[in-house]
């Protein structure tokens, strides 16, 4: 499954192009075993008649006919410098998890994998976020009541990758045949491009967060202004009724103040949480890059001392 996901990205993923696919498997005891997968084909705007649901059903039907695992247990997606915390992923995972309780999303990071270590993580929506998504109320009050923050939107599921003995033997033989010619290349600090791109993405998300903060502060000012207008209206209404009472006239009928001053709709806060999640991911990426470079510097210094 891992090799299929990597192969899918290498064939169809270019730059920040995201590739996606379906995970198949079964639940054994308290484990979700992912045993097969197939990709979503890339289609353009010209393929308006392409039906993803029908495509999935036909693929799973074909796999069942040849006696291959065909039970739907989630989906996978590649990411570009960790930019996977999006509304599209949230909505897709909610749909999967609402229909198939045990489903997960596998996030494959080709940038980190190209640095020498496989980056594959599995995520699920937390029960708190599932309840909020069912209600479809992303107002500040609803998120505060549910105690939702970007730290508890997703829960990471540990992954254990298992190979058959034959595959382990093959990998061992390949490792002997494809030995690194110059092992000093492993100590190269050529990660400035990755670090610079992560910093640029981090600054972009911080700018978006600042814009969201400005929108929310504007909403708070408008609410305060409306409250003052309500208070002034009620005072005028009370003075007018007192004057009418002194003249022996009946007071004015009560009016629904919410009809005169329509409540302002607060801006949705889910986007801000997703942006905060992305900021946290980029910070972790930068931290990992710095740690890797620091480790390489120590290794290079140790190697130089050894050679001396």
């Amino acid at each position: 499954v891992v090799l299929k996901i990597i192969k899918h990205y290498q064939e169809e993923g270019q730059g920040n192009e995201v590739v996606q696919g379906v995970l198949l498997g079964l639940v054994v005891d308290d484990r979700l075993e992912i045993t097969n997968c197939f990709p979503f084909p890339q289609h353009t705007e010209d393929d308006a008649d392409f039906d993803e649901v029908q495509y999935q059903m036909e693929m799973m039907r074909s796999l069942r006919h040849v006696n291959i695992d065909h039970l739907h247990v989630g989906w996978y997606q590649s990411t570009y410098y960790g930019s996977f915390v999006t509304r599209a992923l949230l909505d897709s995972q909610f749909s999967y998890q609402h229909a198939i309780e045990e489903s997960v999303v596998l996030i494959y990071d080709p940038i980190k994998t190209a640095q020498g270590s496989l980056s594959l993580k599995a995520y699920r929506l937390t029960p708190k976020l599932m309840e909020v998504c069912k209600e479809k109320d992303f107002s500040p009050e609803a998120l505060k009541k549910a105690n939702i923050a970007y730290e508890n939107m997703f829960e990471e599921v540990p992954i254990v990758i298992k190979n058959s003995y034959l595959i382990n033997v093959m990998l061992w033989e390949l490792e002997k045949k494809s030995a690194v010619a110059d092992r000093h290349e492993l100590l190269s600090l050529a990660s400035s491009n990755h670090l610079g791109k992560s910093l640029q993405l981090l600054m972009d998300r911080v700018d978006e967060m600042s814009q969201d903060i400005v929108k929310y502060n504007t909403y708070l000012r408008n609410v305060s202004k409306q409250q003052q207008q309500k208070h002034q209206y009620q005072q005028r209404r009370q003075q007018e009724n007192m004057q009418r009472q002194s003249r022996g006239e009946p007071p004015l009928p009560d009016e629904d103040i919410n009809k005169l001053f329509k409540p302002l709709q607060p801006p949705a806060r889910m986007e801000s949480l997703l942006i905060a999640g992305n900021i946290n991911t980029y910070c972790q990426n930068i931290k990992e890059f710095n740690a890797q470079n620091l480790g390489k510097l120590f290794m290079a210094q140790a190697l130089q001392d050894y050679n001396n």
Side-chain angles (χ1 to χ4, degrees), residues 167-269:
I167 291 180
N168 286 331
V169 171
M170 183 192 71
L171 292 175
W172 181 72
E173 290 183 351
L174 288 176
E175 184 179 5
K176 291 197 303 180
K177 293 179 180 179
S178 60
V180 179
D182 185 3
R183 294 189 179 274
H184 293 279
E185 293 180 0
L186 298 176
L187 302 179
S188 173
L189 301 180
S191 60
S192 58
N193 292 335
H194 303 296
L195 183 60
K197 188 62 179 179
S198 295
L199 286 171
Q200 183 60 51
L201 291 170
L202 176 61
M203 290 187 291
D204 293 342
R205 297 294 89 76
V206 170
D207 289 341
E208 292 179 7
M209 178 64 76
S210 299
Q211 294 174 6
D212 274 7
I213 291 174
V214 170
K215 291 180 183 178
Y216 188 66
N217 289 336
T218 302
Y219 160 74
L220 293 178
R221 286 196 298 270
N222 291 336
V223 168
S224 178
K225 185 178 179 180
Q226 189 183 69
Q227 291 294 337
Q228 293 178 358
Q229 292 175 350
K230 285 183 180 181
H231 184 65
Q232 293 173 358
Y233 173 80
Q234 290 173 340
Q235 285 185 333
R236 290 197 304 269
R237 191 79 168 181
Q238 187 177 4
Q239 291 175 0
E240 191 173 353
N241 282 334
M242 291 176 62
Q243 293 175 0
R244 291 176 66 90
Q245 187 177 4
S246 63
R247 295 194 301 265
E249 298 176 359
L252 294 173
D254 294 333
E255 293 183 356
D256 188 359
I257 196 169
N258 289 327
K259 292 183 178 179
L260 298 174
F261 300 94
K262 293 183 179 180
L264 300 175
Q265 291 296 326
R269 300 296 288 169

Side-chain angles (χ1 to χ4, degrees), residues 57 84 95 134 148 227 268 301:
M57 296 300 294
F84 65 90
S95 300
K134 287 179 183 178
I148 294 292
Q227 291 294 337
Q301 183 63 46

Side-chain angles (χ1 to χ4, degrees), residues 20 26 32 44 51 62 106 112 119 171 221-222 225 251:
Q20 297 177 333
L26 67 162
L32 176 64
T44 61
D51 189 344
S62 300
L106 285 182
K112 288 185 179 180
S119 178
L171 292 175
R221 286 196 298 270
N222 291 336
K225 185 178 179 180

